[in-house]
Amino acid sequence: MADTSGNADTTGSPATGETGGAGESPGPAVPRKSSWKYIGPGIVVAATGVGAGDLVATLIAGSNFGYTLLWAAVIGCLVKISLAEAAGRWHLSTGRTLFDGWASLGRWTSWFFVVYVVIWGFVYGAAAMSSSGLPLQALFPDVMDLKWWAVLTGLVGLVFVWFNKYEVFEKVMTVLVGVMFVVTVYLAIRVTPNLGDAFAGLLPVLPDEKDSILNTLGLIGGVGGTITLAAYGYWVNAKGWTNTGWMKVMRFDNRVAYATTGIFVISMLFVGAELLHSANVAIASGDKGLIQLGDILEDEYGTATAKFFLIGFFATSFTSLIGVWHGVSLMFADFVERYHKDRADRATGQGEPPAGKATSGEEVASGARERSWPFRAYLLWLTFPPIVLLFQGQPFRLIILYGVLGAAFLPFLALTLVWLLNSSRTPAEWRNGILSNSMLTIAGLLFIVLCVKQVWDQPWSEFF
């Protein structure tokens, strides 16, 4: 994809000698050009953003409409490329984290964020653990109940993120993405897609069905990630990329991320179109739809293919779990640090940090955030309170609030990025160009429509 900022890369940064940390140790040398060997945060955001729910939604789209909405899946990837690139560009061009930017827009952003991550994290924790436990129970049906598999995956995720730094986290995510990639591509080839129909599906045509426009917008908006798009900039910093010398690398990394996401989504749409649509087979929405798909694959292609698919299902769910455990905890730690800094600045009358003091992006790069108590406190919040929901059932009112806040986050992200990247908060050479403004505005409008639909569809009469 073209440079979404509309500007040339004019960093003039030296090829070596730059630091990526907070002055404690030298960071990675800034490369003269982008290269595959630097890829990392993009793999993490792709793995985290594509969960079991995304695969089921794409399967159902393929099941209902065949290849007709393939173009919508591609556009969804392009929209998310623009959002993640904008978040990464803010971090690198300003040296400040996204929460620093949000805080500069007013206290309302802090209130929205903290309410969102508290409620969202509580419900998401249970959903992520359950999703990760499902394929394990299917693979080992006589070992223990689904709830205990779910608890086990949550505890493993907690221990893994608690004791490992970003470098190890990225390597494990890369291995699991490799598993996801092999499984989804294998299935797409195994069902023998009709390539003529697939290419025809790249033409923007709406299905001749009721609510086809909303279904299409839902597929575009559901491709790969919600809050993980905002976490991308934090992973960029955690990798040691803290200045504009890494801008080309970040953009290449981001495109690889959503090319990978596109392959996952298109592969599952092929499976839905060939295996389900042609046979007129319907599957349930949600994670249980993938268990049904495993049964269908076993009937069609044998036990080995079904087991192979379940391994890919586990990799998909577990990468989303540990990705959120790490990325959103990093964001929460930054929120708390910013809150304490604001209180200290008000007490001393200071504004910007003194010259020579590490920026917030450099502090993330140093690994200090991953060792902080807010990071670990949010890890615990994602793990232990949601276990109660696994055994007691999810409270109705909380689920409604979770749905509304989740729907509101992407419009919030898109429109605040437009605000930040067109203002004096961003250095002039890295502000939005026409293409980036267009893509972010389209994304914001798309997500506002989906947010309104989500809010409208909630059973409010039962809430009160």
Side-chain angles (χ1 to χ4, degrees):
M1 186 176 175
D3 179 352
T4 53
S5 72
N7 299 296
D9 185 25
T10 57
T11 62
S13 297
T16 58
E18 304 240 11
T19 59
E24 299 176 2
S25 60
V30 176
R32 294 185 185 277
K33 60 182 180 179
S34 56
S35 169
W36 286 96
K37 70 180 180 179
Y38 296 110
I39 296 304
I43 295 297
V44 171
V45 78
T48 307
V50 179
D54 299 285
L55 297 187
V56 172
T58 312
L59 270 172
I60 291 174
S63 173
N64 290 341
F65 308 118
Y67 293 103
T68 306
L69 291 181
L70 181 58
W71 64 272
V74 173
I75 288 179
C77 289
L78 295 177
V79 167
K80 299 297 177 65
I81 284 176
S82 300
L83 281 165
E85 188 274 343
R89 179 155 43 95
W90 165 265
H91 278 248
L92 295 183
S93 66
T94 65
R96 303 167 70 191
T97 62
L98 187 53
F99 199 86
D100 273 336
W102 285 339
S104 74
L105 301 178
R107 289 190 184 181
W108 66 273
T109 59
S110 300
W111 284 109
F112 174 81
F113 177 80
V114 73
V115 171
Y116 172 77
V117 294
V118 169
I119 295 177
W120 180 89
F122 184 40
V123 180
Y124 179 83
M129 287 187 273
S130 179
S131 179
S132 298
L134 267 173
L136 292 176
Q137 188 197 34
L139 284 165
F140 309 104
D142 300 323
V143 175
M144 56 184 170
D145 184 71
L146 170 61
K147 292 183 179 66
W148 293 109
W149 278 118
V151 171
L152 178 63
T153 61
L155 294 176
V156 169
L158 169 70
V159 171
F160 171 73
V161 174
W162 188 290
F163 289 105
N164 289 294
K165 291 187 178 181
Y166 173 80
E167 292 80 5
V168 177
F169 165 71
E170 183 190 286
K171 286 181 173 64
V172 170
M173 292 289 272
T174 302
V175 171
L176 291 173
V177 165
V179 173
M180 292 168 61
F181 187 90
V182 170
V183 170
T184 54
V185 171
Y186 166 76
L187 289 178
I189 295 171
R190 192 78 170 84
V191 300
T192 318
N194 185 321
L195 294 182
D197 288 349
F199 280 115
L202 293 173
L203 296 174
V205 176
L206 290 173
D208 188 18
E209 302 273 348
K210 182 184 178 183
D211 295 332
S212 61
I213 294 178
L214 287 174
N215 288 333
T216 303
L217 292 178
L219 181 61
I220 293 172
V223 175
T226 51
I227 195 171
T228 54
L229 289 163
Y232 178 65
Y234 287 84
W235 285 322
V236 163
N237 286 158
K239 181 76 170 175
W241 306 348
T242 59
N243 55 56
T244 54
W246 292 97
M247 194 71 77
K248 283 185 179 179
V249 176
M250 181 276 292
R251 285 172 168 157
F252 180 63
D253 176 78
N254 178 44
R255 290 162 195 162
V256 169
Y258 282 94
T260 306
T261 300
I263 290 170
F264 293 151
V265 169
I266 290 169
S267 295
M268 295 310 287
L269 192 139
F270 281 7
V271 173
E274 292 295 337
L275 194 62
L276 305 178
H277 182 69
S278 58
N280 198 26
V281 174
I283 62 171
S285 60
D287 302 335
K288 289 189 171 138
L290 291 184
I291 296 296
Q292 285 181 267
L293 179 62
D295 295 337
I296 294 167
L297 288 169
E298 184 169 9
D299 292 340
E300 290 285 332
Y301 304 115
T303 303
T305 297
K307 298 287 187 190
F308 190 50
F309 165 72
L310 288 171
I311 292 169
F313 176 7
F314 171 73
T316 301
S317 297
F318 194 64
T319 51
S320 292
L321 186 151
I322 60 175
V324 167
W325 265 227
H326 186 276
V328 184
S329 297
L330 206 53
M331 293 180 70
F332 183 78
D334 190 48
F335 157 72
V336 174
E337 183 65 27
R338 176 74 201 196
Y339 174 76
H340 287 312
K341 178 181 176 299
D342 284 347
R343 290 187 65 184
D345 287 349
R346 285 195 296 271
T348 60
Q350 291 182 357
E352 291 298 311
K357 185 176 179 181
T359 64
S360 52
E362 289 170 333
E363 288 170 0
V364 173
S366 74
R369 294 283 192 269
E370 293 169 279
R371 299 188 295 271
S372 67
W373 71 262
F375 180 91
R376 291 176 171 174
Y378 194 73
L379 264 180
L380 296 173
W381 175 254
L382 281 168
T383 307
F384 287 105
I387 289 174
V388 176
L389 299 186
L390 293 173
F391 288 91
Q392 299 296 325
Q394 298 184 354
F396 180 72
R397 289 182 175 85
L398 196 61
I399 299 301
I400 292 178
L401 293 176
Y402 166 79
V404 170
L405 287 168
F409 185 80
L410 281 177
F412 168 79
L413 176 63
L415 298 177
T416 53
L417 282 171
V418 170
W419 190 347
L420 290 170
L421 292 168
N422 284 287
S423 72
S424 59
R425 298 172 180 85
T426 304
E429 64 268 31
W430 299 113
R431 291 176 197 163
N432 279 356
I434 294 173
L435 179 57
S436 187
N437 273 327
S438 299
M439 292 297 289
L440 290 176
T441 302
I442 290 169
L445 294 174
L446 164 69
F447 296 128
I448 287 171
V449 171
L450 293 175
C451 177
V452 170
K453 180 181 184 298
Q454 179 84 351
V455 172
W456 183 267
D457 288 345
Q458 297 297 331
W460 293 107
S461 60
E462 301 172 35
F463 183 86
F464 300 102

